[in-house]
Structures are given as structure tokens and as C-alpha cells.
């Protein structure tokens, strides 16, 4: 847990720290965060900053509209992004680089690899990458939705040692500390289960979009890749002083002892299923590393629209999710095959090979000891 083992960290800073009053960027809380970044770099630790705040920073240009439309929010993001980058730049005497992403970029394997290469090139050149979701162009189908989960995806892509997520409280409590005086801070989490999610509750900040639940989701993504994760109070300068000293100022999430491999992690936590195949629950499960891949004959139902190479979910008809995988056929073709399965003159389905690629499969029913989600 000591930070002298860090080579590369991802630091996630939320909107409430950037523009606490939605009147443009403020240095009120950013000074001690910038100091922490400088100290890390002086110690030879590479830093990637995932910074929210473009919408909050640009809100004051639009007469403080209480319930802005989606188009206005996108315009706020466009206007606020420059102001947010300028706010960070004024603290540093080294260059920074803006990286705007959508989930569509991350879930496409070719673009994901390109993002990795860009991050590594920037870090090697001593440039601070500043990552944010591209709110101006993103849609419901393409957005991550919160920068907590985005920061975990970036941490995995960048092979970071640690992810530090700033919150408005000291970390994860056993109950909401805003409403319960007897709430107890959970200093260390060995494994994330439903009990941990039950403690997370809902969002509290009126400025940011991510509550504690999204931070737990992000922690789960990160630790499965072997990334140590902290949730700390970003409003408290002492939090960063403790981190620099090698101490835990908030909640520390232990990483998997046997992290998931890069391709498997990407398939499980970053790639988004574009459709779903349903197979019979009582059939022999094809989702065993020692068994052959299933063919179209075993498909009960095809759901959604997807193309060759898209990520799909494979489930049994009792509702059990079995795997995420890369489809070798389009939904249109699989629908045609399964619809005509009983036609005497149609034997095309008998000549189709495995429906999913055996190279990109994330099994969803294996033990956590194997580096898999349960």
C-alpha cells in the first residue's frame, strides 16, 4: 500500500472540486490537488488526471439555467472544457494534453489500443494527460455516464498501479455519514460484494453525476486488473498529505492477487454487449475452457442487433449470464438460421462453425480466485 511502489497512478477529480458553485473554475480545492500531482512527479511517479467539470465550468455562460436541455448541457461542456484545461494549466510548468473519450472509443478494440499507445507516448514525453468524457458528442448509446467508471477504464488501459478517486467524504462508510452520526469509515476492503454495494447508497453532490455506487463500480473494475484503489476526501488537503506519506486517508480496496488478463478485462469491464444469445439451460455448457464452442443449433433466441465482431452476451434460458464474447456472425444471419431451423430444405445451420470467437471470451461463472468476476 506504500506509494513508493507506484510507478503510475490515475487521479479522478470530480465536478464539485473543479467548479463548486457552478460559476466557472475555482482554485479553492485545486491547489492542494495540483500540489499532490507535482509531488508525485517529483518522486518519479507518472500521473494521469481524469477530470470532470466541463459542464459545471461552462454553466455560468448560460444565465444559470436550472433545468438545461441536453443541447444546452453539451454547449456548457463545449464552453467549459477550455476553461477547465486552462484552470489546470496555470498550476503547472510542464505541458498537459487533453484527451476526450466516449465509451464508443473504449469498447472498440482498435481504438482502445490506440488510446493506450497515446497515453504511453504522452507519459514518456513527460506530458500530463487530462482525460474527460466527450460530453459534446456523446449519446446515450456511446457514453460511460460518469468519470468514476471512466477513470477505472483508463487505469486499466494505462496499466496503472493505483487509482485514486476523490469524493466529498473520507471514503466508504457502513451507512450514509450525511444522515447518520454513528456511521463508521471502512478503512480497507478485501473483496467487493453485495454488502459493499449496499453501503454505497445514492449520490449526494448536487454538482457531480457520480455517487458512491459508481465509485464502488470503478473500484471493482480497477482491482480486477490489479490496480490498487483508494476513495478519499478530495476536499481535504490532509488526504493528499497522507497519500504522499504512504498512508491510507480513506478507503483502500485491495487488488486481485491474480489480476485478469488485459484482453479478458477489456471484454468483461469495458466492451459493451450489443446483443444477446439465449441457449437452453439444461444443455451442456459450452463455456468451459476444455469444451468445444457451441454452434447455431444450440441457440434458442437471438436478441438485439449486432454485426460480425461485435461483443455479445451469452445467457441460458433460465436467466443465467454465462459469458461475454465476440460474435462470428451477425444477428440477422443468426436469426435467419434459427428461424428456419426446422425447415427440411434448410441445412445451412448444420454447416456453420462456432458462433463466437474462442479468442475473446469472458466467462462469467468462474471463481474469483481465477481472476474472474463471480
Amino acid at each position: 500500500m506504500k506509494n513508493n511502489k507506484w510507478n503510475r497512478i490515475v487521479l479522478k477529480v470530480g465536478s464539485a472540486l473543479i467548479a463548486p458553485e457552478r460559476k466557472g473554475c475555482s482554485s479553492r480545492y485545486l491547489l492542494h490537488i495540483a500540489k499532490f500531482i507535482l509531488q508525485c512527479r517529483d518522486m518519479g511517479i507518472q500521473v494521469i488526471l481524469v477530470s470532470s467539470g466541463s459542464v459545471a465550468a461552462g454553466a455560468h455562460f448560460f444565465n444559470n439555467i436550472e433545468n438545461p436541455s441536453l443541447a444546452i448541457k453539451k454547449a456548457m461542456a463545449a464552453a467549459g472544457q477550455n476553461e477547465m484545461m486552462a484552470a489546470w494549466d496555470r498550476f503547472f510548468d510542464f505541458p498537459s494534453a487533453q484527451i476526450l473519450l466516449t465509451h464508443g472509443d473504449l469498447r472498440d478494440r482498435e481504438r482502445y489500443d490506440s488510446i493506450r499507445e497515446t497515453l504511453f507516448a504522452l507519459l514518456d514525453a513527460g506530458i500530463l494527460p487530462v482525460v474527460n468524457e466527450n460530453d459534446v458528442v456523446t449519446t446515450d448509446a456511446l457514453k460511460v455516464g460518469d468519470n468514476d467508471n471512466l477513470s477505472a477504464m483508463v487505469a486499466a488501459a494505462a496499466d496503472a498501479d493505483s487509482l485514486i478517486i476523490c469524493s466529498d467524504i473520507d471514503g466508504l462508510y457502513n451507512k450514509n455519514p450525511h444522515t447518520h452520526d454513528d456511521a463508521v469509515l471502512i478503512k480497507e476492503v478485501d473483496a467487493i460484494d453485495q454488502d459493499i454495494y449496499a453501503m454505497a447508497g445514492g449520490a449526494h453532490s448536487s454538482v457531480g453525476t457520480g455517487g458512491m455506487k459508481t465509485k464502488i463500480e470503478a473500484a471493482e473494475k480497477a482491482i480486477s486488473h490489479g490496480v490498487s484503489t483508494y476513495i478519499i476526501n478530495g476536499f481535504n488537503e490532509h488526504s493528499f498529505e497522507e497519500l504522499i506519506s504512504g498512508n491510507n486517508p480513506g478507503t483502500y480496496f485491495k487488488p486481485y492477487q491474480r489480476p485478469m488478463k488485459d484482453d479478458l478485462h477489456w471484454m468483461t469491464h469495458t466492451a459493451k454487449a450489443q446483443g444477446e444469445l439465449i441457449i437452453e439451460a439444461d444443455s451442456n455448457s459450452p463455456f468451459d475452457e476444455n469444451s468445444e464452442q457451441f454452434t447455431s443449433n444450440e441457440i434458442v433466441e437471438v436478441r438485439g442487433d449486432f454485426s460480425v465482431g461485435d461483443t455479445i452476451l451469452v445467457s441460458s434460458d433460465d436467466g443465467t449470464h454465462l459469458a461475454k464474447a465476440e460474435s462470428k456472425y451477425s444477428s440477422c444471419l443468426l436469426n435467419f438460421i434459427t428461424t428456419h431451423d426446422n425447415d427440411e430444405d434448410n441445412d445451412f445451420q448444420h454447416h456453420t462453425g462456432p458462433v463466437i470467437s474462442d479468442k475473446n471470451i469472458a466467462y462469467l461463472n468462474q471463481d474469483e480466485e481465477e481472476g474472474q468476476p463471480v
Side-chain angles (χ1 to χ4, degrees):
M1 199 172 77
K2 294 292 185 180
N3 64 24
N4 57 14
K5 294 183 179 180
W6 295 345
N7 293 308
R8 181 178 300 144
I9 66 171
V10 172
L11 174 65
K12 186 268 173 178
V13 178
S15 300
L17 290 164
I18 302 287
E21 298 177 352
R22 297 179 70 89
K23 295 179 180 179
C25 295
S26 169
S27 62
R28 180 178 177 185
Y29 302 113
L30 300 189
L31 270 171
H32 58 256
I33 298 175
K35 179 182 176 182
F36 172 72
I37 294 173
L38 287 165
Q39 289 173 317
C40 285
R41 287 172 61 98
D42 286 344
M43 296 168 66
I45 302 168
Q46 295 179 330
V47 180
I48 297 171
L49 178 62
V50 176
S51 177
S52 305
S54 60
V55 174
H60 68 105
F61 294 119
F62 294 85
N63 300 319
N64 297 316
I65 300 173
E66 286 191 14
N67 296 303
S69 65
L70 181 59
I72 294 295
K73 284 184 178 179
K74 289 177 180 289
M76 288 176 176
Q81 193 67 40
N82 282 346
E83 188 165 332
M84 187 191 74
M85 287 298 297
W88 284 116
D89 277 339
R90 72 171 180 260
F91 293 114
F92 306 126
D93 58 358
F94 49 81
S96 62
Q98 182 183 62
I99 301 178
L100 296 175
L101 302 174
T102 68
H103 195 261
D105 300 315
L106 291 161
R107 75 187 187 209
D108 181 282
R109 187 67 208 195
E110 187 174 350
R111 279 187 271 174
Y112 180 85
D113 289 338
S114 178
I115 292 164
R116 280 172 55 89
E117 293 169 0
T118 301
L119 287 169
F120 295 149
L122 289 170
L123 293 170
D124 289 344
I127 299 171
L128 174 69
V130 182
V131 182
N132 193 10
E133 183 151 27
N134 194 346
D135 294 315
V136 176
V137 302
T138 194
T139 63
D140 286 342
L142 294 176
K143 70 180 180 181
V144 177
D146 66 272
N147 273 3
D148 294 323
N149 278 285
L150 177 64
S151 68
M153 296 177 192
V154 170
D159 296 332
D161 305 299
S162 187
L163 169 64
I164 301 165
I165 302 175
C166 294
S167 180
D168 60 350
I169 55 177
D170 290 340
L172 175 67
Y173 284 79
N174 64 340
K175 58 183 74 173
N176 190 338
H178 293 295
T179 56
H180 295 83
D181 293 334
D182 60 342
V184 177
L185 177 66
I186 309 299
K187 291 295 292 182
E188 195 166 290
V189 175
D190 293 327
I192 296 176
D193 54 22
Q194 290 306 310
D195 290 337
I196 296 298
Y197 274 105
M199 297 177 190
H204 180 266
S205 171
S206 61
V207 178
T209 57
M212 188 56 67
K213 181 181 178 181
T214 63
K215 292 171 175 56
I216 301 302
E217 291 172 348
E220 186 173 14
K221 287 180 173 65
I223 64 174
S224 65
H225 198 267
V227 181
S228 301
T229 302
Y230 298 84
I231 297 177
I232 67 168
N233 190 333
F235 294 84
N236 189 344
E237 184 175 1
H238 180 68
S239 299
F240 298 95
E241 294 171 348
E242 286 291 285
L243 284 173
I244 287 293
S245 298
N247 301 318
N248 171 23
T251 301
Y252 170 69
F253 296 81
K254 286 186 178 180
Y256 280 22
Q257 289 185 344
R258 296 176 60 186
M260 300 170 72
K261 295 178 181 179
D262 287 340
D263 288 349
L264 183 60
H265 187 276
W266 173 80
M267 179 65 73
T268 304
H269 291 298
T270 302
K272 185 177 180 180
Q274 303 300 301
E276 186 175 10
L277 298 181
I278 308 298
I279 65 173
E280 292 183 7
D282 57 357
S283 65
N284 293 326
S285 173
F287 302 104
D288 185 291
E289 293 181 2
N290 298 318
S291 66
E292 295 181 359
Q293 291 299 317
F294 73 102
T295 66
S296 58
N297 295 345
E298 300 170 67
I299 298 174
V300 174
E301 183 182 355
V302 180
R303 297 176 181 174
D305 297 317
F306 52 88
S307 304
V308 176
D310 280 350
T311 299
I312 57 173
L313 184 65
V314 183
S315 305
S316 60
D317 56 6
D318 65 358
T320 302
H321 297 325
L322 300 174
K324 286 173 73 177
E326 178 184 319
S327 178
K328 298 181 73 173
Y329 295 89
S330 69
S331 56
C332 181
L333 181 55
L334 289 175
N335 263 314
F336 175 83
I337 295 170
T338 55
T339 300
H340 296 78
D341 204 28
N342 295 322
D343 289 357
E344 292 182 2
D345 296 332
N346 177 38
D347 62 351
F348 181 73
Q349 70 271 14
H350 300 297
H351 300 290
T352 59
V355 171
I356 59 177
S357 169
D358 59 359
K359 294 180 180 179
N360 290 319
I361 304 175
Y363 300 95
L364 304 180
N365 57 348
Q366 294 185 8
D367 295 333
E368 188 172 335
E369 291 180 359
E370 296 298 323
Q372 306 282 345
V374 176

